[in-house]
């Protein structure tokens, strides 16, 4: 995570977690614009000086809080088939995206108003999943499920677009039937896989 030289101070893990939890709570309760560092400090029982020693400002704090959420998931399963791996992986990421949904809603207007926040979130929160997808697709090539590695970035971009469209625009659930539809009707043709 990019930080100013003064913001490189590491906190006690329990103290840092309390601050990150307070940030997440406030984002969903009052939104980014109305969330203050004073209130984060009060809820986390930390001083503002402690917060500013760790993060340069509100965009860095919020990005750190959401970045941590993105990394809190188990390793992707090797099911023995490309289709199985895709369904297992996308099901896992549906749960991650459902957890992120309230925070993304709280940040939509702020991202448009603050380009630095949008850039940080894109680099450290939204631009995730590519490494995991590469593992799944490389494994499929080694197993012979795919003739060659596809453009992973395109596959991830399409899947993310579908996930966010479903969450933000339709409000329909990211259930098992939808994941199977995404894998069978969109990802499979994109990969050129017969399975």
């Amino acid at each position: 995570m990019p930080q100013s030289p003064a913001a490189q101070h590491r906190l006690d893990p329990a103290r840092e977690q309390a601050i990150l939890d307070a940030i997440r709570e406030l984002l969903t309760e009052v939104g980014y614009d109305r969330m203050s560092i004073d209130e984060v400090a009060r809820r986390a029982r930390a001083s503002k000086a402690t917060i500013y020693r760790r993060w340069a400002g509100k965009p860095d704090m919020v990005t750190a809080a959401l970045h941590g959420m993105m990394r809190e998931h188990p390793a992707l399963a090797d099911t023995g088939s490309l289709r199985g791996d895709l369904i297992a992986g996308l099901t896992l990421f549906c749960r991650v995206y459902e957890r992120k949904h309230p925070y993304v809603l709280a940040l939509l207007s702020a991202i448009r108003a603050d380009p630095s926040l949008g850039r940080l979130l894109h680099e450290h929160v939204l631009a995730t999943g590519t490494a995991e997808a590469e593992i799944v697709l490389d494994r499929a090539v080694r197993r012979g499920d795919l003739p060659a590695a596809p453009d992973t970035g395109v596959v991830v971009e399409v899947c993310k677009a579908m996930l966010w469209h479903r969450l933000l625009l339709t409000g329909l659930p990211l259930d098992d039937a939808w994941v199977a539809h995404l894998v069978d009707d969109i990802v499979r043709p994109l990969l050129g896989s017969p399975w």
Side-chain angles (χ1 to χ4, degrees), residues 25-90:
E25 289 170 10
L26 285 164
L27 275 177
T28 58
E29 289 173 21
V30 301
Y32 179 82
D33 293 334
R34 293 179 50 213
M35 181 183 76
S36 70
I37 302 230
D38 286 330
E39 184 59 17
V40 170
R42 188 189 71 71
R43 284 204 186 189
R45 297 187 175 149
S47 70
K48 282 173 49 176
T50 297
I51 291 171
Y52 279 117
R53 276 195 306 270
R54 178 69 180 93
W55 297 286
K58 204 155 79 164
D60 290 310
M61 270 182 4
V62 168
T63 301
L66 299 185
H67 178 77
M69 280 180 62
M70 291 304 302
R71 301 294 175 209
E72 297 166 1
H73 62 77
L76 297 182
D78 181 350
T79 66
S81 74
L82 175 57
R83 183 179 188 275
D85 287 357
L86 289 170
I87 286 177
L90 283 168

Side-chain angles (χ1 to χ4, degrees), residues 115-138:
S116 66
L117 175 65
R119 181 183 46 74
L120 284 170
L121 289 172
H122 177 73
E123 290 172 3
H124 298 285
V125 178
L126 301 175
T128 57
T130 302
E132 290 92 343
E134 285 175 354
I135 291 168
V136 168
L137 297 175
D138 288 345

Side-chain angles (χ1 to χ4, degrees), residues 70 73-97 128-129 132-137 139 143 155-156 159-160 163 174 176 178-180 182-183 187:
M70 291 304 302
H73 62 77
L76 297 182
D78 181 350
T79 66
S81 74
L82 175 57
R83 183 179 188 275
D85 287 357
L86 289 170
I87 286 177
L90 283 168
T91 299
L92 174 68
F93 280 98
C94 283
R95 302 302 75 85
V96 171
Y97 275 58
T128 57
E132 290 92 343
E134 285 175 354
I135 291 168
V136 168
L137 297 175
R139 190 165 54 214
R143 275 196 306 248
V155 174
V156 170
C159 289
K160 284 182 179 184
L163 283 166
L174 302 175
D176 292 344
W178 182 78
V179 170
L182 178 59
V183 168
V187 177

